Amino acid sequence: MEFFKIKRDIPFMRHAVILNVISVVTFLAAVFFLGTKGLHWSVEFTGGTLMELHYPHAADQEKIRTTLRGIGYEAPEVTGFGTAQSVLLRLPIVNGQDQAGTSSRVFGAVCASEQGTPKVTQVTTDKGEQVNRTSCLNAAGQETVSLQRVEFVGPAVGKELAQNGLNALLMVVIGVIIYLSVRFEWKFAVSAIIANLHDVVIILGFFAFFEWEFSLTVLAAILAVLGYSVNESVVIFDRIREMFRKQRKMTVPEVIDHAITSTISRTIITHGSTQIMVLSMLLFGGHALHYFAMALTIGICFGIYSSVFVAAALAMWLGVKREDLIKPVKEKDETDGAVV
């Protein structure tokens, strides 16, 4: 399906040098910010306590931050969670404090700021189960805030998650190299993996520069971007191989330009429809999906750029030619078919 068809090829490779200089500058800027600022790791990687609070009214997040600073948390993370009444607290490990009592100490401080007293009551869940619920009641017996859930991640678990995430990233990279080497040719494999790593580093650079939280969901988005970018590169490489078979008089840059131009409509349809879904998550998904959708948005935009301008140009500069993708036809021996 095509929305439109471009009759005249766009000379992408004529501007390959300029466009790749822009890519190199962007890449180096991302590496610089990663080296100077680093990633803002979530408690899933560093270890800490995650608490969800629910208020009967819109929560005053700045008041909660002030309360947490008063009990020793220098930079507490307080964010909305779904609605204005729900708040998510991410509390890092503080040296000298007993982590086992973190939730009780924090909830006690928040409850005191609401001029109430913590109380544990039994409530019935939707499944009919009796569970304990920690609430804060004021002098009139009204609930001012309740503790919905508490999760604790130890530093050892956080390091393990970080290592597993790095291993997953390396396995994807190795798998992509093997797949493209088998399906196409090593020059395409090298070009694609450089372009894909270019996307990953730029996403990480954005998160480092803006000090966005890097969590497991962001890591999942990066792995998804890798697969998405590889898919775009495969489509373009496949069209290049097809053009080498059909257009034997074209030069290599002309073949690449024709292949990219002929896939533009497909690129707009697939990436546009995906971005619409990602944008809905970004705008309406709340804090839980915000950075996941942000990473996907950056990855989709740079994935198109790298597949068209980086991967294809690198393949051209590495010297890809018709003979690399098409086996030469063996000339028929004059003695074939001779009758003895």
Side-chain angles (χ1 to χ4, degrees):
M1 186 177 84
E2 291 183 337
F3 281 147
F4 54 86
K5 189 171 184 178
I6 303 175
K7 297 181 179 179
R8 189 172 182 179
D9 293 342
I10 302 174
F12 291 105
M13 294 302 100
R14 184 184 302 172
H15 310 288
V17 175
I18 297 176
L19 294 170
N20 277 269
V21 167
I22 295 173
S23 294
V24 170
V25 171
T26 308
F27 180 87
L28 293 178
V31 172
F32 172 78
F33 291 126
L34 281 171
T36 55
K37 289 190 172 185
L39 291 173
H40 186 52
W41 301 99
S42 70
V43 295
E44 296 162 331
F45 295 108
T46 61
T49 303
L50 186 146
M51 300 173 59
E52 181 184 348
L53 306 179
H54 183 77
Y55 288 79
H57 51 78
D60 187 347
Q61 296 185 13
E62 190 55 40
K63 181 180 178 181
I64 298 173
R65 291 189 185 94
T66 303
T67 301
L68 295 177
R69 292 190 190 100
I71 59 174
Y73 293 98
E74 297 180 359
E77 296 182 30
V78 181
T79 56
F81 188 71
T83 64
Q85 291 80 21
S86 296
V87 175
L88 199 64
L89 311 182
R90 288 183 172 87
L91 308 171
I93 295 176
V94 178
N95 294 330
Q97 290 190 1
D98 180 19
Q99 294 304 309
T102 296
S103 59
S104 300
R105 183 173 60 255
V106 170
F107 188 75
V110 172
C111 186
S113 69
E114 297 290 333
Q115 299 181 350
T117 304
K119 184 177 181 181
V120 179
T121 58
Q122 279 197 340
V123 296
T124 304
T125 64
D126 296 337
K127 298 180 179 180
E129 300 174 349
Q130 295 288 329
V131 296
N132 292 331
R133 177 179 176 182
T134 304
S135 304
C136 179
L137 304 180
N138 59 17
Q142 297 175 332
E143 184 180 279
T144 56
V145 60
S146 63
L147 180 61
Q148 299 296 308
R149 63 186 172 105
V150 178
E151 297 177 6
F152 175 73
V153 179
V157 176
K159 291 180 180 179
E160 183 180 355
L161 288 173
Q163 185 62 47
N164 290 340
L166 180 61
N167 292 340
L169 189 60
L170 289 176
M171 289 177 65
V172 170
V173 170
I174 294 172
V176 168
I177 293 176
I178 295 174
Y179 169 73
L180 291 177
S181 298
V182 172
R183 178 164 181 177
F184 295 102
E185 205 261 348
W186 70 268
K187 296 171 185 175
F188 279 139
V190 172
S191 303
I193 204 62
I194 292 175
N196 292 338
L197 291 178
H198 160 274
D199 299 340
V200 171
V201 172
I202 287 178
I203 294 174
L204 295 177
F206 269 92
F207 273 78
F209 177 74
F210 292 104
E211 297 183 352
W212 293 334
E213 183 185 66
F214 189 87
S215 62
L216 284 175
T217 55
V218 176
L219 177 60
I222 290 176
L223 294 177
V225 166
L226 269 174
Y228 203 76
S229 184
V230 167
N231 179 67
E232 181 67 22
S233 299
V234 166
V235 170
I236 294 176
F237 290 166
D238 208 32
R239 188 59 62 90
I240 290 174
R241 180 167 59 182
E242 181 183 344
M243 289 302 106
F244 271 135
R245 291 173 178 170
K246 291 183 178 179
Q247 306 292 338
R248 295 185 175 272
K249 294 183 179 180
M250 281 185 173
T251 62
V252 173
E254 290 174 343
V255 167
I256 295 176
D257 288 339
H258 185 77
I260 296 174
T261 303
S262 61
T263 58
I264 284 181
S265 181
R266 176 259 175 203
T267 299
I268 292 175
I269 294 172
T270 55
H271 289 268
S273 58
T274 304
Q275 186 56 50
I276 289 173
M277 299 301 297
V278 173
L279 191 60
S280 65
M281 288 192 291
L282 182 64
L283 297 177
F284 308 110
H287 182 269
L289 295 176
H290 180 77
Y291 293 121
F292 173 79
M294 187 66 73
L296 283 177
T297 298
I298 298 171
I300 289 173
C301 294
F302 279 93
I304 300 173
Y305 182 91
S306 65
S307 297
V308 174
F309 301 123
V310 178
L314 285 175
M316 179 182 67
W317 291 331
L318 286 173
V320 68
K321 53 186 181 294
R322 181 175 287 101
E323 290 74 14
D324 294 332
L325 302 174
I326 303 174
K327 294 181 180 179
V329 180
K330 186 178 179 181
E331 294 184 3
K332 190 175 180 180
D333 194 343
E334 293 181 357
T335 60
D336 290 350
V339 179
V340 179

